[in-house]
């Protein structure tokens, strides 16, 4: 895995399955569990990017407002244009009332939701993950990328269920601790 200094200075996309449900996490400068080598994670990122974006998506407006609005409130159309973001968001079918700042923040999470992932960001203040975007429809996740992904059994997930997170769209989760606790348990027998 990447060294600690790299992890704390980069936003690393990492992936896993909980009971077959595909999860995408953006580390936002936080620690990433040691479940992939750097090369394996890079290969997985390439495979995920190759998945066709066929799903409609739902944004978690409440969480985005709560956790990131202050960081994006000054974003306007002109700034988006200078940053090249119109190219990134032009093929995303946002609701027409979605504010410009929310598009600027959420486009990469939406791309993951369009590929079938529940897409989470890490709150830099708490270190916990919150759901940003999800597929509007649920289809069983298949393909070669599944074989490459770390799998956490759903009974090891200390919440109602990942489906509950999907449906209720609220709360924060410490995925890193959950995975590390599971790994320690398996290591110790």
């Amino acid at each position: 895995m990447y060294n600690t200094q790299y992890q704390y200075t980069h936003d690393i996309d990492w992936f896993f399955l909980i009971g077959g449900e595909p999860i995408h996490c953006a580390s936002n400068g936080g620690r990433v569990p040691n479940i992939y080598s750097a090369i394996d994670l890079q290969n997985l990122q390439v495979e995920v990017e190759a998945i066709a974006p066929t799903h409609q998506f739902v944004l978690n407006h409440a969480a985005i407002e709560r956790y990131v609005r202050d960081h994006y409130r000054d974003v306007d159309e002109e700034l988006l244009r200078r940053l090249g973001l119109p190219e990134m968001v032009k093929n995303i079918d946002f609701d027409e009332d979605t504010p410009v700042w929310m598009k600027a923040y959420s486009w990469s999470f939406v791309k993951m939701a369009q590929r079938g992932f529940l897409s989470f960001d890490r709150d830099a203040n708490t270190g916990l993950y919150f759901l940003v975007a999800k597929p509007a429809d649920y289809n069983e996740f298949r393909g070669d990328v599944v074989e490459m992904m770390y799998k956490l059994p759903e009974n090891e997930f200390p919440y109602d269920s990942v489906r509950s997170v999907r449906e209720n769209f609220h709360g924060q989760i410490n995925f890193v601790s959950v995975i590390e606790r599971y790994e320690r348990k398996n290591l110790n027998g």
Side-chain angles (χ1 to χ4, degrees), residues 32-121:
V32 176
N34 193 20
I35 54 177
Y36 298 108
S37 70
I39 296 297
D40 287 344
L41 182 56
Q42 290 166 1
N43 289 336
L44 180 55
Q45 290 164 343
V46 168
E47 291 296 320
V48 167
E49 188 65 27
I51 297 171
T54 59
H55 295 269
Q56 295 297 314
F57 66 92
V58 178
L59 277 181
N60 189 351
H61 290 267
I64 296 168
E65 287 273 350
R66 184 177 322 118
Y67 300 117
V68 300
R69 180 181 176 87
D70 289 345
H71 302 292
Y72 283 82
R73 70 174 162 245
D74 296 328
V75 173
D76 60 17
E77 294 285 347
E78 174 58 24
L79 179 58
L80 283 179
R81 189 185 58 70
R82 284 185 297 179
L83 294 173
L85 284 174
E87 275 303 305
M88 303 306 240
V89 301
K90 76 177 184 181
N91 294 325
I92 298 175
D93 188 22
F94 285 103
D95 293 336
E96 67 181 51
D97 62 335
T98 302
V100 170
W101 68 267
M102 194 174 287
K103 292 176 185 178
Y105 164 74
S106 66
W107 68 270
S108 64
F109 299 97
V110 166
K111 290 181 88 138
M112 291 299 166
Q114 289 176 317
R115 288 175 169 83
F117 289 86
L118 296 178
S119 189
F120 290 82
D121 194 8

Side-chain angles (χ1 to χ4, degrees), residues 95-168:
D95 293 336
E96 67 181 51
D97 62 335
T98 302
V100 170
W101 68 267
M102 194 174 287
K103 292 176 185 178
Y105 164 74
S106 66
W107 68 270
S108 64
F109 299 97
V110 166
K111 290 181 88 138
M112 291 299 166
Q114 289 176 317
R115 288 175 169 83
F117 289 86
L118 296 178
S119 189
F120 290 82
D121 194 8
R122 186 182 147 277
D123 179 0
N125 295 319
T126 66
L128 302 176
Y129 286 85
F130 62 94
L131 186 60
V132 175
K134 65 180 182 177
D137 53 332
Y138 178 75
N139 292 319
E140 189 172 340
F141 199 71
R142 299 173 191 247
D144 294 339
V145 72
V146 170
E147 296 307 315
M148 299 173 71
M149 292 173 68
Y150 178 85
K151 293 154 186 75
L152 180 69
E154 190 166 11
N155 64 347
E156 294 294 334
F157 188 63
Y159 302 92
D160 292 343
S161 74
V162 74
R163 284 173 198 77
S164 173
V165 172
R166 166 198 277 280
E167 299 307 319
N168 297 328

Side-chain angles (χ1 to χ4, degrees), residues 12-24:
I12 300 168
D13 289 325
W14 58 284
F15 309 89
F16 63 102
L17 294 164
I18 297 176
E21 185 92 34
I23 306 292
H24 158 256

